[in-house]
Amino acid sequence: MILPPFLLHRPTTVDEAVDLAALHQEEGVSFLAGGTDLLPNWKNRLNNQPHLISLQSIPSLHDVESGKIGALATLHSLLGFSPLPQGLREAIEVVASPLIRTTATIGGNLLLDTRCHFFNQSPFWRATVGSCLKAEGPVCRVVPGANSCVATFSSDLAPLLMAMDATLSFVGPQGERSLPLRTFYQQDGIRRMVLKPGEILTTISWHDDPTLLTGYAKLRIREAWDFPLLGVGCAMGLCEGYLSNLSLFLGAVDSIPIEVPTESFLGEPLTDEAIEVIAKSAYARVKPMKNVGLTPSYRKRMVPVFVRRLLMRLRGDH
Amino acid sequence: MTSKEIVGKSTPLVDGAEKVTGEAVYTDDITLPGLLVGRILRSPHEHAQIESIRVVDASNLLGVHAVAVGADAPIRFGVLPMTKDETALAVDKVVYLGDGIAAVAADTEAIALEALSLIKVKTKVLPPVLRMDEALKPLKDGVEKIQPMHSYPGSRFKEVKQSFGDVEEAFRDARSSVKGSFRFQGVTHAPTEPHATIAHWSAQGRLTVWSATQVPHYLQRSLAEVFELPMHKVRVIRPYVGGGFGGKSDPFPHEMVAALLAKKSGRPVKILFDREELFITNHGRHPTKTEMALSADALGNLTALQIDALIDGGAWGSFGVITSYYNGALSMGPYKIPSFDYRGRRVTTNKPPSGAMRGHGAVNSRYALETLLDEIAEDLGMDPCAIRLQNAWQPHSLTPNGLRITSCGIRECIEVVREASGWDERRGNLPFGKGLGIGCGFYISGSALPIHWERMPQSTVHLKVDFDGGVTVHSLAAEIGQGSDTVLAQCVAEGLGVGLNRIRVYTKNSDTSPIDLGSYSSRVTFMAGNAAIRAAEKVAQQIVAGAARLTGQPASGFVLEGEEVIYAPNPTIRLSFVDAVREALFDSGALHGKGHYQAPNLNPDLPRVEILRGKESEKGAVMGGTHKGAAAGLSPSYSMSAYIAEVDVDPETGIVKVPKVWAAHDCGFAINPIAVEGQIEGCVHMGMGQALTESFDYNRGSGRIENANLLDYKIIPSTDAPEVEVFLVESNDPEGPYGAKEAGEGPLLPILPAIGNGIHDAVGIRMRHLPITPDKVLAALDKKR
Ligand SMILES: Cc1cc2nc3c(=O)[nH]c(=O)nc-3n(C[C@H](O)[C@H](O)[C@H](O)COP(=O)(O)OP(=O)(O)OC[C@H]3O[C@@H](n4cnc5c(N)ncnc54)[C@H](O)[C@@H]3O)c2cc1C
Ligand code: SF4
């Protein structure tokens, strides 16, 4: 497989990158971070563009400080950073493989494209079945008749960082802005998020709270390489056995992470019964599609199991 | 020779340093002046008539040097002489999604790909046959036979039957009988190196093909046939090969295509597959439905085995005739089973062709048999190890289907893993979710009867020793990573009493190496190893003659040992290896010796060809019975193995993990123990993939593989690989080289049922469909609850 032809730009400042993007917007531009998601897709001729703007040479995007991380920080480098919330460490450690994590960035992970058996295929393969909505085709092959894409949200870091209520900062043609990650994704397998054309993700930040318990649980077939078939990110505040904070997000069961409501449990102890109710409500909220590994019914069945086990672990059970 | 100095010692592979330093040259590393890139246009349909192919726009593209279509090389070929059904490119119809239609040679890959997009193919889509049950039925009106040359009714490719003893009576009289329907998804080899071939026609009209192949000789034959050349006009060079596992043991269409494009363009052409093409062209293990029944008497003696195997061959024959027999013939042990009934049916479907894969033909039936054996043991209240020991083959015995068993360490294998795993105390006593399971197996050390029914040697090895003191070994035995070059070097070094650093092994070039049939059916150590030993003996005689002449002692008293030639009756009389060599050759030139191997003639009354064809012909080596298909499964020797796997099943998620495997394998004698251990560990790993995660998934019932990449096709990574404790059992085979037998394929068989039986011990369910994915485990647990 060879990459399609493109022009590579290597700006050294964010402003320069934003200008370049605006300049070539008409023709088509993409930003390159680690490239571990973008380049395999381009090899498959999926949404490749004539201009590729590498963000690698912009020093400020690599900065890492406590609670504020440059979008270009590699997952591997973050593992060596302290303090790193435990849940974020757990999520990073289950992304892809150690080798890929030396290249993969945190920003790229949050902006990862959605995945589907009908989409992540070679041009030859797609031609044999006819393309789909997400690749300039007329219909969705997973839900015939649907007029939107239901490809699976596959970032491991997003559910956890949403549970931690992380904030994203961007620089774009209209200047800077910040957004809570929780409002960033949108229910559409193609557009996926509210990123504006030409906008660069610069930092990911969160309120550093050492008392916050965080954890991530992932369902996958193999202990390396595999994208999540279910991801559960959780942040929990426990004050003398009572819940002061609980947020729970499910990844890889929809086109965006799904929030499990937990407000009614705040101020209450996290009893087995409470965990069971939360697990059941998580189960009720998801409808996985038949477009990634294992059957949808199995993946759905695993939701309460993984939620329950994670909550018990964070509560301190063994 | 008194004691062994070289063989039996763990020896780093002689080509290891080249590989780890990157010095080793693989096919894709080779570049030649004027080399072009070849690419193949593949069919988007499972089954279609080709009405027209318009190539003019592709031909006219700047940078394109040749365009080829099926009509340019229409001669059919195939690895088995009786089922030649492949062509370089589709001649008038395509038979699976991915079948080659046309090909181009261009200056760059980008130009080649652009040229492919300019080829206009008009096709009439034909109804495909995709399911095995469909293939068994008479063809529906208007449905065209996929391969008109396959003569069986419907879309059947081959039907075989074998029967020994009275099976019906045995089942009637049995104290216990069990049966089951088993299903196996297709799996594939997925070697690290994809297919790669370079072809070049010299000015004198000789064809040279460099290819990543396990079978240089069959490739040479097929190229000669397709291009209508005498065989000696074709030279095959096998550069370093990055793994095969049976996936490179056929002569392939792309190899013909490279030669065709090179011929048309007058330039050398390279074809390198991308990963998807490797999956699409497959030749992996057959998807299989196995119905099996097993019976035993009240004492736990097995009395009958009945097998009905239905296997999906995909679009081509490949090794399919042999696979059809092996599903039965290689199930009749390593246990005494007096009566046996087998029906094997292989169907042709519009799917990627199946072929030979590590453990060829034996793996799926083995899973079924070892599972049923556990069930019978349970029914009779016997221990699974005990029932296996009680029924185990004896050394030097004959099976009902005529397999001659010589050395046989199956008992030792079972006993050693039973002891090491703490089986007697632990099995059945572990907490719910944890279990131990056993599986056994046996496998051929090379097929006694060659693919081509002729009297030629199966292996020949040439040696040359000159007064530089170096020893050169020539053979066409294909080193594909399994360590065969090292085995040859060890056998020769041992025979000449010298260190390995004197030995240089040349096995890559069909012009200079004497023919060996290739690396398949686990034959190389046994056959080429024996040939190497004989070649060394020939040269040793010449060296001894030199020593005798120089010392004035009788030749019969000399031994070669430790780089010296020693007069045994008076060891103070000794000279260095090099001095003896110099004396031996000064008046005659470099020393030469050759050895060959031909499977033994055990039954000289029966000419071998009679067994195969049912008619009299040339005389040759023979063994086995005279029933139809008696040749299938015959080997000069068989390896034995027994594994115990420790299995963890999470009853809530259905996820199965295998933390530990105790693996005992009787390889006769481990010429290179470290390489044998490596083969066993690799087999555990590969078999575990088929057991738990690997599967060819077809998209929505079509012939389109959904997971034709290494992310979605789930090979087990090192993170999930179990700890493997290897036990080498050395039964010292009377005919093996230094007593050795195979260790390349047999060690794969036991791991699958060991895991399956371990799951049963852990959570009480019998898994009959592979791979055992977590959703299937939960469904089985639900049913049990
Ligand atoms: C074999 C394999 C296995 C994988 N397994 C997993 C897994 O288990 N879990 C998982 O979460 N991911 C997995 N991935 C996906 C990927 O490796 C990671 O998500 C990685 O973190 C992506 O980061 P990147 O820097 O490589 O992104 P890139 O590929 O560089 O970019 C991804 C997307 O984000 C855009 N982008 C990147 N940075 C910016 C920025 N700063 N501003 C604006 N746009 C930007 C790019 O244009 C592109 O569209 C896997 C990938 C492979 C190849
Ligand atoms: S969900 Fe539908 S539209 Fe989206 S990628 Fe899959 S097939 Fe295409």
Side-chain angles (χ1 to χ4, degrees), chain B residues 187-210:
Chain B
V187 291
T188 199
H189 327 82
T192 310
E193 180 201 28
H195 292 316
T197 299
I198 298 173
H200 175 56
W201 295 76
S202 75
Q204 304 111 327
R206 273 198 95 204
L207 170 62
T208 298
V209 170
W210 291 257

Side-chain angles (χ1 to χ4, degrees), chain A residues 31 33-38 96 104-105 109 111 156 201 218 225-227:
Chain A
F31 291 114
T36 60
D37 182 48
L38 187 91
T105 67
N109 191 282
L111 303 178
D156 275 311
L201 172 62
K218 172 174 180 173
W225 301 323
D226 286 350
F227 279 96

Side-chain angles (χ1 to χ4, degrees), chain B residues 40 75-89 96 99 189 195-197 207 209-227 231 234 236 246-259 273 281-283 316-320 322 353-356 451-452 517-520:
Chain B
I40 297 170
I75 295 176
R76 290 186 182 271
F77 66 93
V79 68
L80 299 189
M82 58 280 216
T83 56
K84 291 180 187 167
D85 55 7
E86 308 189 27
T87 48
L89 293 161
Y96 72 97
D99 203 356
H189 327 82
H195 292 316
T197 299
L207 170 62
V209 170
W210 291 257
S211 199
T213 178
Q214 302 177 222
V215 287
H217 175 63
Y218 296 142
L219 176 56
Q220 186 189 18
R221 274 184 188 251
S222 298
L223 287 164
E225 282 166 22
V226 171
F227 293 95
M231 227 200 295
V234 178
V236 171
K248 296 171 181 166
S249 59
D250 292 62
F252 286 111
H254 70 268
E255 293 169 321
M256 309 301 143
V257 171
F273 273 21
T281 54
N282 188 29
H283 287 78
W316 286 329
S318 185
F319 282 91
I322 298 176
S354 303
I451 285 175
H452 295 268
L517 298 182
S519 289
Y520 63 97

Side-chain angles (χ1 to χ4, degrees), chain B residues 54-88:
Chain B
R54 190 185 140 89
V55 300
V56 50
D57 299 327
S59 303
N60 288 342
L61 188 69
L62 195 68
V64 171
H65 296 267
V67 182
V69 296
D72 293 329
I75 295 176
R76 290 186 182 271
F77 66 93
V79 68
L80 299 189
M82 58 280 216
T83 56
K84 291 180 187 167
D85 55 7
E86 308 189 27
T87 48

Side-chain angles (χ1 to χ4, degrees), chain A residues 1-4 38-46 48 121-123:
Chain A
M1 275 294 199
I2 49 173
L3 279 167
L38 187 91
L39 297 179
N41 283 345
W42 278 27
K43 284 193 171 184
N44 277 334
R45 305 300 187 265
L46 290 167
N48 48 301
Q121 296 286 0
S122 72

Side-chain angles (χ1 to χ4, degrees), chain B residues 678-693:
Chain B
Q679 287 295 317
I680 292 170
E681 284 166 7
C683 277
V684 166
H685 181 259
M686 195 166 206
M688 191 173 147
Q690 186 184 355
L692 298 178
T693 56

